[in-house]
Amino acid sequence: MDYRDSPAEAEFRDRLRTWLAWRGGRAGSFPASGDDYWRRQGEWHQALYGAGFFGLSWPREYGGQELPPVYDVILDEELARAGAPPRPSLGYLVQGLGRHGSAELRRRFLPGMIDGTQRWCQGFSEPGAGSDLASLTTTATLVQGDRAPGDSADDDGNDAEYVVHGHKIWTSYSDVADWCLLLARTDPDVPRHRGLSAFVVSMRQPGVEQRPFRMMNGITTEFGQVLFDGARVPADQMVGAAGEGWALAMTIVGHEREPAELGYSARYGKLVRDLVSRTKGSTPTELTWAYVQTEMLRLHVRRRLSERLDGVAHGPEGSLDKLLMTWVEQTAGHAALAVGGTRDPDLLSAYLYSRAQSVMGGTSQIQKNIIASRILRLGG
């Protein structure tokens, strides 16, 4: 396999490096982690997009460039090399809305999602329904709106809407989001997977309450809880048909569990290389093992990318990817702790954050169950 850049790819890489060097030398350049990063992530998104470095492989119709995914790999590598913030993680939402949304919903929402002028969050997990997403209890009930026919732009009086009640948790960017891709139960009388529907819900309305979290590494602006108490969503903002929310959810979590081109592996590798540069004399065993694992993940992700370029689609194999990412990030986290102990706040934060990988995007236990049942066909 030839990993060298083509002339066009090399030109793109050089242009990106030049822009990152210019951006890094400017006052007010973006931090790569911490509360300030999360507060300013929308600015970073728009800066990348405005410079031509975001939405590279997404459809041109909605603001993307329709380049091969290799360009996303180059972007991830160079952002990590420069110590710049990662590209905003939106691919799974773009895939979900792009695959399951109507043409009207795609035209209305994908451009703002891609160019960063509208902020989004994902309303899936609940206090009692995390990895077991099918057990969620948030409801969306169909009602006729309060407007009379002719009182709005809808001259036909087609003002049916859903009223949402429930509680979501671990909702990234919820406090700054304009829109939420929400999963809710619309039919309690059918098997639980079949009673779910997906909606595009405005976060700027009565009936939506934000409760931010303070994470154990000190970050306060990444995650939150959202309470829906009578929030409303027009019926035409349902994504797909009623009862088809589970299919959308599986599309999204499948992409969420993949290594996202080289983004994760590039950052884990940079952390390990930085740790190596800090060690004097003997290298801790944890760091040696982290070096091996980050290289393993880098090669694995390149193989996945090669398969994608050949048109191979992945399904439950995303659970293998998720387990590998978890093991590698947590191994790198242990190496950070071994090198910096509790004296270095950045390395301690890297270790503490790595613990979340066992849960976020689906617990490791759930991933093992998926591998056993859907790939190995165990248990009948």
Side-chain angles (χ1 to χ4, degrees), residues 242-292:
E244 294 182 356
W246 186 254
L248 174 137
M250 292 302 97
T251 294
I252 286 179
V253 299
H255 284 275
E256 189 178 15
R257 291 168 182 167
E258 288 183 345
E261 314 304 2
L262 284 181
Y264 291 103
S265 86
R267 293 195 173 271
Y268 302 158
K270 183 177 188 301
L271 172 60
V272 169
R273 291 192 299 273
D274 289 347
L275 292 173
V276 170
S277 71
R278 292 182 184 220
T279 58
K280 305 297 181 183
S282 62
T283 301
T285 302
E286 295 92 339
L287 182 53
T288 302
W289 184 227
Y291 192 95
V292 172

Side-chain angles (χ1 to χ4, degrees), residues 30-305:
F30 293 97
S33 62
D35 270 343
D36 197 26
Y37 164 70
W38 292 107
R39 277 191 293 268
R40 302 182 61 192
Q41 198 239 32
E43 296 177 55
W44 179 238
H45 182 162
Q46 292 186 48
L48 283 171
Y49 184 85
F53 300 122
F54 191 79
L56 300 174
S57 59
W58 294 337
R60 188 173 289 110
E61 178 183 2
Y62 307 118
Q65 300 182 41
E66 294 187 12
L67 294 171
V70 171
Y71 285 84
D72 287 322
V73 170
I74 295 171
L75 175 61
D76 291 335
E77 289 178 337
E78 293 302 319
L79 290 177
R81 186 190 68 84
R87 57 181 166 126
S89 180
L90 284 172
Y92 52 92
L93 294 180
V94 172
Q95 291 286 347
L97 189 58
R99 182 178 299 184
H100 298 275
S102 66
E104 174 57 30
L105 287 180
R106 294 196 301 271
R107 285 192 298 267
R108 181 179 173 188
F109 291 113
L110 284 179
M113 183 186 292
I114 292 172
D115 68 20
T117 55
Q118 295 179 339
R119 304 293 303 279
W120 283 73
C121 65
Q122 173 189 325
F124 280 18
S125 295
E126 298 181 5
S131 295
D132 184 15
L133 191 58
S135 65
L136 66 82
T137 59
T138 294
T139 61
T141 304
L142 182 63
V143 298
Q144 285 301 123
D146 298 330
R147 300 184 302 273
D151 284 351
S152 70
D154 189 343
D155 294 331
D156 296 328
N158 184 18
D159 55 351
E161 57 188 359
Y162 284 82
V163 179
V164 181
H165 291 274
H167 183 182
K168 297 295 181 177
I169 201 167
W170 312 121
T171 312
S172 301
Y173 327 127
S174 63
D175 59 332
V176 297
D178 302 298
W179 300 98
C180 178
L181 189 56
L182 180 80
L183 201 62
R185 190 167 301 283
T186 50
D187 189 345
D189 299 322
V190 297
R192 57 184 193 161
H193 294 81
R194 299 178 186 173
L196 304 178
S197 302
F199 301 88
V200 173
V201 179
S202 171
M203 297 290 282
R204 313 291 186 181
Q205 62 166 308
V208 178
E209 179 186 349
Q210 304 282 349
R211 294 183 181 177
F213 275 136
R214 181 180 181 86
M215 299 169 64
M216 68 179 180
N217 65 351
I219 292 177
T220 62
T221 55
E222 181 178 355
F223 288 122
Q225 308 183 66
V226 184
L227 279 73
F228 295 94
D229 185 12
R232 304 216 164 199
V233 54
D236 61 5
Q237 287 177 206
M238 177 182 283
V239 182
E244 294 182 356
W246 186 254
L248 174 137
M250 292 302 97
T251 294
I252 286 179
V253 299
H255 284 275
E256 189 178 15
R257 291 168 182 167
E258 288 183 345
E261 314 304 2
L262 284 181
Y264 291 103
S265 86
R267 293 195 173 271
Y268 302 158
K270 183 177 188 301
L271 172 60
V272 169
R273 291 192 299 273
D274 289 347
L275 292 173
V276 170
S277 71
R278 292 182 184 220
T279 58
K280 305 297 181 183
S282 62
T283 301
T285 302
E286 295 92 339
L287 182 53
T288 302
W289 184 227
Y291 192 95
V292 172
Q293 286 213 1
T294 53
E295 182 66 5
M296 173 275 298
L297 183 64
R298 184 182 71 86
L299 296 174
H300 170 77
V301 175
R302 285 188 179 276
R303 181 179 64 180
R304 282 283 196 248
L305 175 63

